[in-house]
Amino acid sequence: MASVPEAIVESLRGVVDPCCRDRGISVVDMGLVDDVRVDGQGNADVEIVLTSGWCPFQVDLLDEITAAVRTVPGVADAAVRITLDTAWSGDRLSPAARAALRFLPEPVEVGDRDAFLAATNSEPGADHDR
């Protein structure tokens, strides 16, 4: 049986990062969940980091995370805070999120770089002015 903090993290896999909604990447896979603690009375404290301090979705994100945490059995109440002590970086991405955000194939997957670039640049709608 999972501990309450582990159950909280699992519940947050259902909360999608607003900036990655089109790719369905959760706040867990984006690496936004920094810390989860639950006291003896079931009060959960969740700290998150943002990909940007200018995130226009932070209020909605806090509300979504709080609502998800409150659904976890064993949680009486939840406080979700943004931590400014930890900076977000791409190193926090899960392998699944990294793959979903990748626009180009891994370099080892491209046998002939010049052929790949020629094929990519000849696709209809390709931006040739980059």
Side-chain angles (χ1 to χ4, degrees), residues 13-113:
R13 291 188 186 283
V15 177
V16 177
D17 182 314
C19 293
C20 298
R21 197 167 307 279
D22 63 323
R23 296 183 186 264
I25 302 172
S26 76
V27 296
V28 173
D29 286 327
M30 280 298 293
L32 302 187
V33 179
D34 196 50
D35 191 30
V36 177
R37 293 179 306 278
V38 181
D39 69 16
Q41 286 75 45
N43 298 308
D45 284 309
V46 178
E47 287 186 0
I48 65 168
V49 298
L50 298 175
T51 56
S52 165
W54 299 100
C55 175
F57 304 110
Q58 56 187 287
V59 172
D60 293 335
L61 186 59
L62 290 172
D63 289 344
E64 286 184 52
I65 291 172
T66 302
V69 172
R70 287 182 174 154
T71 67
V72 174
V75 171
D77 199 10
V80 180
R81 290 184 268 292
I82 298 167
T83 180
L84 302 175
D85 296 333
T86 305
W88 184 89
S89 75
D91 295 338
R92 296 177 67 98
L93 292 168
S94 73
R98 189 175 309 282
L101 291 171
R102 188 166 190 85
F103 295 102
L104 297 173
E106 291 286 342
V108 297
E109 296 172 7
V110 178
D112 182 342
R113 178 185 177 275

